[in-house]
Amino acid sequence: MQPIRGYGVSQVVDSSHPEYKEGDLVWGLTTWEEYSLITDIVPGSSLVKIHHTDVPLSYYTGLLGMAGKTAYAGFFEVCPPKKGDKVLVSAASGAVGQLLGQFAKLAGCYVVGSAGSKQKVLLENKLGFDEAFNYKEENDLEAALKRYFPEGIDVYFEHVGGELFDAVLLNRLNMKEHGRIAVCGIISQYNLPEPEPLKNLFQIALKRLNIHGFTHRDYDHIVPKYYEFVLPYIREGKIVYVEDIVEGLENGPAALVGLFTGRNFGKQVVAVAPPQPYISRSRSFLH
């Protein structure tokens, strides 16, 4: 058996690699354990040095890590916004979704978020979304979309799949012609024995939709530009990032399973190790 691999924030305790020295803080792919021996290092890719320590280190598992890079790339690279765009974000209280909504508001868009609980809908309102709804309480998702988007949707960010994606595609009144859809995850389908088929794919042709699938790995090169964009907003308090932190590696498996049932409230983080004495704010985090 091998430990689970995932993204985390770590501190170097010993190194023979010329790019890393004892005490360095890094984020990137690591394993779910208190100490890891990492040999397959690609500097700047598999492990990235942390230079900005005036923000919470846990942000490098989300806001300043994979989730932030995904949100920034999805919004500004995959679906470049136009002021006034009508934007729908699924899984809008999650690690990526909460950022997409805030980026869209900064760009002058109208933003609606969908989530799977009343508590998460309240969270989206606090994050500055124009509207939010609990898709699990909607008997007719098509009617819900018409309620929030009477003139149609310009941009849809897909993280969930299933019935909501079908409702978005259902007829000409939901997605506008030449609308843009970014797909970076379909979490409702990951653990199903048979994925649910989409029923309304012909609408892609009828409405000339641009559907673009991507992963964060496609956009490693934009990280410096992303940091230049987002760090001032973080320091000014203009971007909020909600984290659900559980303490102790022993609680990691339950936190991971909870992601697939929507139990987490914000970005799920596992705090593993206490700080080293000589780095006052250092902790190890996994996601």
Side-chain angles (χ1 to χ4, degrees), residues 17 77 158 272:
H17 195 288
E77 303 287 331
E158 174 57 278
V272 176

Side-chain angles (χ1 to χ4, degrees), residues 28-102:
L29 273 174
T30 183
T31 47
W32 285 35
E33 53 192 359
E34 292 183 353
Y35 293 90
S36 297
L37 176 63
I38 301 176
T39 58
D40 54 342
I41 296 176
V42 180
S45 179
S46 59
L47 282 181
V48 181
K49 282 189 181 182
I50 293 174
H51 299 289
H52 305 283
T53 57
D54 59 330
V55 297
L57 289 177
S58 59
Y59 279 9
Y60 287 91
T61 70
L63 172 53
L64 295 174
M66 181 182 72
K69 180 173 57 170
T70 301
Y72 182 80
F75 193 61
F76 292 103
E77 303 287 331
V78 175
C79 294
K82 298 188 287 289
K83 188 174 182 179
D85 272 348
K86 307 297 190 292
V87 178
L88 172 63
V89 181
S90 64
S93 64
V96 176
Q98 61 174 296
L99 291 174
L100 282 166
Q102 293 180 80

Side-chain angles (χ1 to χ4, degrees), residues 65-246:
M66 181 182 72
K69 180 173 57 170
T70 301
Y72 182 80
F75 193 61
F76 292 103
E77 303 287 331
V78 175
C79 294
K82 298 188 287 289
K83 188 174 182 179
D85 272 348
K86 307 297 190 292
V87 178
L88 172 63
V89 181
S90 64
S93 64
V96 176
Q98 61 174 296
L99 291 174
L100 282 166
Q102 293 180 80
F103 293 168
K105 289 303 299 177
L106 289 171
C109 301
Y110 167 81
V111 187
V112 176
S114 75
S117 74
K118 292 179 180 178
Q119 291 82 2
K120 290 182 178 181
V121 167
L122 291 173
L123 171 61
E124 290 161 31
N125 290 332
K126 290 181 180 178
L127 293 171
F129 286 64
D130 292 289
E131 300 284 353
F133 66 94
N134 179 358
Y135 71 91
K136 292 181 180 178
E137 292 186 343
E138 296 290 345
N139 295 322
D140 186 338
L141 284 172
E142 182 188 1
L145 294 178
K146 289 178 180 175
R147 186 165 72 246
Y148 292 110
F149 297 97
E151 298 176 0
I153 302 165
D154 294 293
V155 179
Y156 173 50
F157 287 95
E158 174 57 278
H159 304 110
V160 176
E163 293 181 351
L164 182 58
F165 199 180
D166 254 341
V168 167
L169 294 175
L170 185 58
N171 64 47
R172 64 183 179 84
L173 297 178
N174 291 345
M175 285 299 298
K176 291 183 181 180
E177 286 193 357
H178 305 287
R180 294 102 73 201
I181 298 176
V183 181
C184 62
I186 306 190
I187 196 168
S188 71
Q189 308 297 297
Y190 293 161
N191 293 323
L192 296 181
E194 290 290 335
E196 298 169 333
L198 292 173
K199 303 171 186 176
N200 300 304
L201 293 178
F202 190 51
Q203 295 297 326
I204 298 171
L206 291 179
K207 289 183 281 191
R208 292 87 163 169
L209 301 179
N210 182 354
I211 299 181
H212 188 133
F214 74 102
T215 80
H216 70 97
R217 297 181 185 88
D218 302 329
Y219 292 96
D220 286 342
H221 62 283
I222 71 167
V223 170
K225 182 168 72 170
Y226 171 55
Y227 283 3
E228 184 178 340
F229 165 81
V230 78
L231 281 167
Y233 286 121
I234 295 172
R235 291 165 179 151
E236 294 167 13
K238 293 182 178 178
I239 284 182
V240 177
Y241 199 60
V242 178
E243 298 174 308
D244 187 340
I245 299 179
V246 300

